[in-house]
Amino acid sequence: NSTVGSKSVAMATLVMKSCDVLMEFVYGVGEFSQQSSDQIVHLHTVRQEVGTMAQDQGTGVAGSKRTAGRVPQSLRPQAAPFQSCLSVQGTASLLKGIYNDTLPVRQPGLGVLRKSLQFCQYLLGTSCQQMNALVETGQCCGMQVTELSKLNKVFCVFGRAYFKQLELLSLPGSQPESSKGKSPGSLCVDGLAVVVQLACNADEEGRRDLLFPIVSSGDVAPDSVSEVSLYLIRKLQRLINGIISDPPEVLGLTIKDAISMATIILNLSHLLDEVEEVAEIIKWSHEVCKETKRDDINFCKGFLGLLFGLCQRYDQNIRMLRKICYNVRALIGDIDEEVEIQPKNNLSVITSRTVTPCCLTLVLHQLDLIVDDVEWFVSRLKVGSPESQPYSLNTTADTDLEGMFDSLCKERLTMIIHCFHELIQTAIAPGSIADHLVKVLRCCYGNL
């Protein structure tokens, strides 16, 4: 009955936590000797078997006793994953040994741990849980966020392990074993996204402390945060190219991981110093959107959002928006059913399925940002003494008010009007998108 099942789950949880404590104890005593590594792998195997039985028991308790036998396993309630009892320092030490340690005397023992891909997956998953707990709650397994020096060291070790594992996945013949839960590659992408976000929110010194150890090795010795960011971006670009190729060249990663990596690239692009480097990323992201024929709403949202986000910083999205608005009208249709628009879609990610609401929402968001910039700029022109310009409006070095107003009208308002001209003739269904379009139109023409 349910009481027996609950007791079984409680006992199994106690056994798993005991295995976690014993694994950390054996590591501390053995220091990666072959005997201690064999014991660690054995303890993890026991933990995994007990965890599988506990999840089955938990599923049985969560489901109805009468219907459990008739409902397929895939449709039964799933028990929550069991959290590890490894300390943050213990997890970091094990990951550092597996991915960074090169001492010859330790290689036999470390080889045992490296061959156990399920153990590596367990460590990577545990590190992600612990890092998220530290970021969200400020504490985990005895570590407090107030210990900034220790915290940064731990995050550096985690980030290095994630990056090394992703590099291993891109090597030929590195096919991972099938296993339950998230693959090691997916866990590394999630963890690397958190580390990069922390680096972007930190000051210059914090960025160096977090990002430099991730890529530092005998062959790579970065000199600046910009150099590290560009190096990481290029690695992620190769992984994405491998994922979206047909057949995929990178095993263990999915389209969802490619979308997450696109977000990481967008965050890292803010740390680049050279405009030419960002221009290369814009060109690459445009090629991905142009060449990838995938009728996937999330993929369209991720990579079209990446392209818009990159172009927005350097005032390159207004011309592209005009072309996209024309294609939106061609895909959805004109308000006059007798009018036929010949599509000239040069972005394969925009299809009849992804154009609404995904593509339209992104386009309206970009137009909203541009209209806000125009509103701010016009208000400064009315005052007669603009103190400064938004970065996205810095398209001319002329400080004369009349010259700036001419530039504003010629380069921006004309393009915005063309975009709205296409959208108001599009047969957009009544709803939130149509309301958003009316709101932006009212704001734009109100400024005029």
Side-chain angles (χ1 to χ4, degrees):
N1 56 40
S2 60
T3 304
V4 175
S6 300
K7 291 181 178 179
S8 300
V9 172
M11 292 299 296
T13 303
L14 182 60
V15 172
M16 287 189 292
K17 292 183 181 298
S18 300
C19 289
D20 292 332
V21 175
L22 288 173
M23 278 191 286
E24 188 163 351
F25 172 77
V26 172
Y27 151 73
V29 173
E31 295 185 352
F32 297 121
S33 66
Q34 187 164 359
Q35 181 181 1
S36 64
S37 296
D38 288 333
Q39 292 175 345
I40 290 174
V41 172
H42 175 69
L43 286 168
H44 173 259
T45 303
V46 173
R47 184 192 192 282
Q48 191 175 30
E49 292 175 352
V50 174
T52 301
M53 290 187 292
Q55 284 186 336
D56 293 340
Q57 288 285 343
T59 302
V61 173
S64 172
K65 180 179 179 181
R66 295 182 178 180
T67 60
R70 298 195 298 268
V71 177
Q73 182 69 28
S74 59
L75 299 180
R76 295 182 192 177
Q78 297 297 313
F82 296 93
Q83 292 188 349
S84 173
C85 261
L86 284 177
S87 68
V88 177
Q89 294 86 346
T91 305
S93 299
L94 287 167
L95 286 174
K96 185 176 181 180
I98 292 174
Y99 290 99
N100 294 338
D101 202 319
T102 57
L103 289 177
V105 69
R106 294 182 176 179
Q107 296 314 302
L110 289 171
V112 174
L113 298 179
R114 289 166 182 158
K115 288 180 181 178
S116 179
L117 297 182
Q118 292 183 344
F119 178 69
C120 294
Q121 179 184 7
Y122 159 73
L123 281 182
L124 293 170
T126 299
S127 66
C128 287
Q129 290 178 355
Q130 293 173 343
M131 187 163 55
N132 287 329
L134 287 169
V135 172
E136 294 173 4
T137 66
Q139 59 183 0
C140 178
C141 301
M143 174 169 279
Q144 303 287 337
V145 171
T146 53
E147 306 174 55
L148 292 178
S149 59
K150 293 182 179 179
L151 196 62
N152 284 338
K153 289 181 181 179
V154 168
F155 285 168
C156 289
V157 173
F158 287 174
R160 177 67 176 166
Y162 301 145
F163 184 67
K164 290 285 288 184
Q165 180 63 36
L166 289 175
E167 281 191 318
L168 293 174
L169 289 176
S170 61
L171 297 177
S174 60
Q175 182 172 359
E177 296 178 355
S178 59
S179 56
K180 294 182 179 180
K182 278 191 173 183
S183 67
S186 298
L187 291 169
C188 291
V189 172
D190 294 344
L192 189 62
V194 176
V195 175
V196 169
Q197 186 64 51
L198 289 172
C200 290
N201 294 335
D203 56 13
E204 185 66 21
E205 183 179 356
R207 291 170 182 171
R208 296 173 67 92
D209 292 341
L210 284 170
L211 294 180
F212 273 38
I214 294 180
V215 301
S216 298
S217 63
D219 300 329
V220 180
D223 296 325
S224 65
V225 172
S226 177
E227 184 179 347
V228 176
S229 302
L230 184 61
Y231 182 80
L232 287 171
I233 287 172
R234 287 174 175 170
K235 289 289 186 180
L236 294 173
Q237 285 176 327
R238 294 192 191 102
L239 287 171
I240 292 174
N241 290 336
I243 294 171
I244 63 179
S245 61
D246 190 21
E249 298 176 359
V250 180
L251 301 172
L253 294 174
T254 64
I255 291 296
K256 184 178 180 181
D257 299 322
I259 297 170
S260 299
M261 283 188 273
T263 304
I264 298 175
I265 290 176
L266 182 59
N267 290 332
L268 288 172
S269 69
H270 295 286
L271 306 180
L272 298 177
D273 295 334
E274 300 295 332
V275 178
E276 293 78 8
E277 296 170 350
V278 181
E280 292 179 3
I281 304 172
I282 292 174
K283 182 179 178 181
W284 170 81
S285 58
H286 186 272
E287 287 296 321
V288 172
C289 294
K290 180 180 179 180
E291 302 295 337
T292 307
K293 297 181 180 180
R294 187 175 293 275
D295 196 16
D296 188 325
I297 294 177
N298 292 326
F299 186 86
C300 176
K301 181 179 179 181
F303 282 89
L304 199 58
L306 170 63
L307 182 59
F308 283 155
L310 292 169
C311 292
Q312 179 188 345
R313 294 181 59 204
Y314 295 93
D315 195 29
Q316 298 182 19
N317 61 347
I318 187 68
R319 298 181 184 275
M320 180 178 59
L321 280 173
R322 182 182 177 183
K323 296 178 181 179
I324 292 177
C325 289
Y326 175 86
N327 289 302
V328 166
R329 180 185 172 194
L331 288 170
I332 297 178
D334 194 272
I335 53 176
D336 187 349
E337 296 181 357
E338 296 181 358
V339 176
E340 292 185 5
I341 307 297
Q342 186 66 29
K344 299 178 182 179
N345 190 6
N346 61 342
L347 298 179
S348 298
V349 294
I350 303 177
T351 64
S352 57
R353 180 169 179 262
T354 61
V355 67
T356 178
C358 175
C359 179
L360 256 178
T361 302
L362 291 173
V363 168
L364 289 175
H365 177 66
Q366 292 300 312
L367 289 173
D368 204 356
L369 293 175
I370 296 172
V371 169
D372 285 343
D373 286 348
V374 170
E375 181 181 8
W376 181 91
F377 197 64
V378 170
S379 65
R380 298 277 76 79
L381 289 174
K382 289 178 180 178
V383 171
S385 57
E387 299 174 358
S388 60
Q389 300 181 41
Y391 189 72
S392 60
L393 288 171
N394 191 16
T395 59
T396 176
D398 187 10
T399 57
D400 181 71
L401 292 180
E402 184 177 355
M404 287 188 288
F405 185 75
D406 290 341
S407 175
L408 173 69
C409 293
K410 291 177 182 178
E411 297 185 11
R412 292 187 169 274
L413 291 179
T414 303
M415 289 292 182
I416 293 174
I417 298 302
H418 279 296
C419 290
F420 286 140
H421 174 73
E422 297 293 342
L423 292 178
I424 61 178
Q425 294 185 90
T426 304
I428 301 175
S432 59
I433 295 180
D435 295 340
H436 191 181
L437 174 59
V438 172
K439 177 182 177 183
V440 179
L441 278 168
R442 186 186 298 115
C443 181
C444 178
Y445 287 102
N447 294 325
L448 299 179

